[in-house]
Amino acid sequence: RKEVEQDPGPFNVPEGATVAFNCTYSNSASQSFFWYRQDCRKEPKLLMSVYSSGNEDGRFTAQLNRASQYISLLIRDSKLSDSATYLCVVNRAGNQFYFGTGTSLTVIP
Amino acid sequence: DVKVTQSSRYLVKRTGEKVFLECVQDMDHENMFWYRQDPGLGLRLIYFSYDVKMKEKGDIPEGYSVSREKKERFSLILESASTNQTSMYLCASSSLGTSGRALSYEQYFGPGTRLTVT
């Protein structure tokens, strides 16, 4: 079983829509959780960390469910500039990072 | 801002050549990583280093070696390049820190090197 699994999509949504991505992880010892964004032919960039109590950054909300071992990312009021691949990343023991294969989002005018 | 730089954005090499990919970070991070990224496979860890002269194998170390002589620099070496090593190579660094309310290791990536082996 993969350490981190994501639905690859693609998700094609109209501008202004709300879209949600989920990600599951297999190891309950996982400690830190992140969402990264990767634009085409660019490096991944940290979008936000995910905290146990859930956290929000503008239009983006991340949640963690440790009991069910999943992480979610909600994007409200989608913009064209949100089009990218979103990577779920799980960290264990400091220097062990596990990446999902990414979920592709295209926001359509 | 953390800055991670890689020596080349694009590289074309012939089969059998020795290839050096260099990565430098300027934030005094302890941990440095080399990944390759291929369509449908996501990022796969080749090697990582948690200190100068220290290295650990990742998931796919075969055909690669690494060197970390200085804290800020981590090199990936392809001893004898093969066509199946054509890929995007990404370097990253991280350090334990606090991010908001939690201890968090955040990774920062370089721009990547797209290597083609012919």
Side-chain angles (χ1 to χ4, degrees), chain B residues 8 15 17 19 50 71 94 113:
Chain B
S8 306
T15 301
E17 281 192 83
V19 182
Y50 53 90
K71 191 174 185 179
S94 78
T113 296

Side-chain angles (χ1 to χ4, degrees), chain B:
Chain B
D1 272 356
V2 176
K3 192 154 175 120
V4 181
T5 56
Q6 294 183 229
S7 49
S8 306
R9 292 300 300 273
Y10 299 94
L11 210 52
V12 180
K13 294 291 182 181
R14 292 189 183 275
T15 301
E17 281 192 83
K18 192 167 185 174
V19 182
F20 292 87
L21 302 181
E22 301 278 327
C23 175
V24 178
Q25 50 97 2
D26 66 358
M27 283 301 292
D28 202 36
H29 283 171
E30 294 83 9
N31 302 321
M32 295 188 76
F33 308 79
W34 275 106
Y35 295 90
R36 63 178 282 178
Q37 187 175 29
D38 301 287
L41 297 177
L43 274 82
R44 293 181 291 167
L45 180 65
I46 304 170
Y47 269 96
F48 72 92
S49 169
Y50 53 90
D51 203 351
V52 174
K53 296 193 186 295
M54 306 305 289
K55 61 185 178 186
E56 293 282 345
K57 291 180 180 179
D59 300 318
I60 51 163
E62 297 78 19
Y64 303 94
S65 62
V66 290
S67 172
R68 191 155 180 212
E69 297 297 317
K70 294 185 177 182
K71 191 174 185 179
E72 68 272 17
R73 190 179 295 269
F74 192 35
S75 302
L76 179 70
I77 302 144
L78 286 66
E79 296 291 341
S80 177
S82 62
T83 54
N84 63 11
Q85 291 178 310
T86 292
S87 187
M88 167 70 97
Y89 289 87
L90 289 159
C91 174
S93 71
S94 78
S95 183
L96 175 62
T98 54
S99 177
R101 293 163 280 169
L103 285 175
S104 179
Y105 290 87
E106 296 175 1
Q107 273 193 327
Y108 296 89
F109 285 85
T113 296
R114 190 165 291 279
L115 172 67
T116 302
V117 182
T118 61

Side-chain angles (χ1 to χ4, degrees), chain A:
Chain A
R1 186 182 169 189
K2 286 184 182 177
E3 288 274 350
V4 179
E5 298 207 54
Q6 289 181 254
D7 179 350
F11 286 68
N12 299 314
V13 303
E15 267 187 292
T18 296
V19 62
F21 306 137
N22 288 326
C23 164
T24 58
Y25 61 96
S26 61
N27 195 313
S28 60
S30 300
Q31 296 171 318
S32 305
F33 309 89
F34 310 91
W35 283 101
Y36 278 72
R37 171 199 168 119
Q38 186 172 25
D39 293 297
C40 188
R41 295 186 168 268
K42 299 278 184 134
E43 75 272 23
K45 292 189 177 177
L46 180 66
L47 179 66
M48 58 197 302
S49 300
V50 186
Y51 306 131
S52 296
S53 54
N55 48 300
E56 193 172 301
D57 182 3
R59 298 180 293 108
F60 299 84
T61 301
Q63 293 201 311
L64 167 64
N65 185 319
R66 283 191 184 269
S68 302
Q69 293 181 202
Y70 80 79
I71 307 147
S72 65
L73 177 69
L74 184 78
I75 306 175
R76 290 182 300 278
D77 189 23
S78 299
K79 311 287 185 195
L80 296 177
S81 58
D82 293 334
S83 297
T85 296
Y86 291 83
L87 302 174
C88 173
V89 183
V90 170
N91 170 255
R92 214 166 58 234
N95 51 26
Q96 296 174 16
F97 290 85
Y98 300 92
F99 289 77
T101 52
T103 299
S104 173
L105 171 67
T106 301
V107 181
I108 304 161

